[in-house]
Amino acid sequence: MKKMNKFLTALILIILPIIDINTLAVAQETETAISGTKQVFRFEDYPVSVEQVSVVKKPILSTRLAKQYKTAITTAMEQPVNFAGYYRVVTWGCGTDCRGFAIINKLTGKTYTLPGVEYVAGVMGNDEERLEYKENSRLFVITGSKNDKKEGKFYYLWSKEELKLLATFLLEKQDFSD
């Protein structure tokens, strides 16, 4: 068994430099499930300066989802910055315990959505916020089920024009069985 673990460790060290960050996130999820340890991602570890944007731009709706929620996005343009320095996260309901969202650059009006994610739904036994973000941080956290397909706690880092996945962890759930 020890020889197998050493072999797997050596294999990971050889492969690790050539895998992308999304593959790494899956590896972290697996390690978390096995070891019970969890890397802590904190908003304060990804700081940005907050800019007050007073000019209201017309939103640039560049994705199908953004065009579908044009009214919500246009209304949100008048609201203050709430994410990553000069961005505004706009959310809309899509049913009970379900959220859709877009990210608006308040300086340019460009609107971003997360490719492949229409909505984030709640998961039975987990009552955490579906979306977490702060005006002075680039960290963005999704907790729940993305499009009712993959559930987890997803940590993303905003990188100018996209959310880049840092890690995915299994959700903590309450057990309701007696």
Side-chain angles (χ1 to χ4, degrees):
M1 185 67 155
K2 285 186 178 182
K3 286 183 180 182
M4 180 61 106
N5 285 342
K6 286 181 180 180
F7 172 75
L8 289 174
T9 301
L11 185 62
I12 289 171
L13 291 174
I14 292 168
I15 295 173
L16 192 60
I18 60 174
I19 61 177
D20 70 338
I21 193 148
N22 291 328
T23 307
L24 179 58
V26 173
Q28 284 181 317
E29 178 180 355
T30 305
E31 181 180 331
T32 301
I34 294 169
S35 69
T37 61
K38 186 174 185 178
Q39 181 176 352
V40 177
F41 292 93
R42 301 176 319 169
F43 290 102
E44 55 269 16
D45 292 337
Y46 305 95
V48 293
S49 298
V50 177
E51 295 183 32
Q52 298 305 319
V53 182
S54 57
V55 177
V56 177
K57 298 278 185 184
K58 181 178 179 183
I60 300 168
L61 307 170
S62 56
T63 67
R64 181 194 55 75
L65 190 61
K67 290 173 185 170
Q68 185 176 347
Y69 290 95
K70 177 182 179 179
T71 303
I73 291 168
T74 302
T75 303
M77 286 298 293
E78 298 174 10
Q79 301 298 315
V81 167
N82 67 358
F83 175 60
Y86 53 88
Y87 294 88
R88 175 80 190 173
V89 175
V90 57
T91 62
W92 50 84
C94 50
T96 304
D97 199 16
C98 180
R99 308 278 181 286
F101 71 96
I103 299 171
I104 307 164
N105 181 324
K106 296 274 295 172
L107 299 175
T108 66
K110 188 163 183 188
T111 304
Y112 306 91
T113 56
L114 185 57
V117 178
E118 298 274 329
Y119 60 88
V120 180
V123 174
M124 182 65 107
N126 179 279
D127 61 356
E128 293 180 60
E129 288 294 322
R130 298 297 139 241
L131 306 171
E132 295 178 82
Y133 46 88
K134 295 190 182 287
E135 67 181 0
N136 61 351
S137 178
R138 295 185 309 129
L139 185 64
F140 191 93
V141 183
I142 295 176
T143 303
S145 173
K146 296 191 294 189
N147 301 337
D148 290 328
K149 292 183 180 163
K150 185 171 183 186
E151 69 178 47
K153 188 156 188 141
F154 307 92
Y155 291 87
Y156 290 91
L157 189 61
W158 182 252
S159 180
K160 298 288 182 197
E161 294 191 348
E162 66 181 334
L163 289 169
K164 293 190 177 195
L165 185 63
L166 293 174
T168 300
F169 295 106
L170 301 175
L171 280 181
E172 295 179 21
K173 302 178 193 175
Q174 293 178 345
D175 183 11
F176 294 110
S177 63
D178 289 317

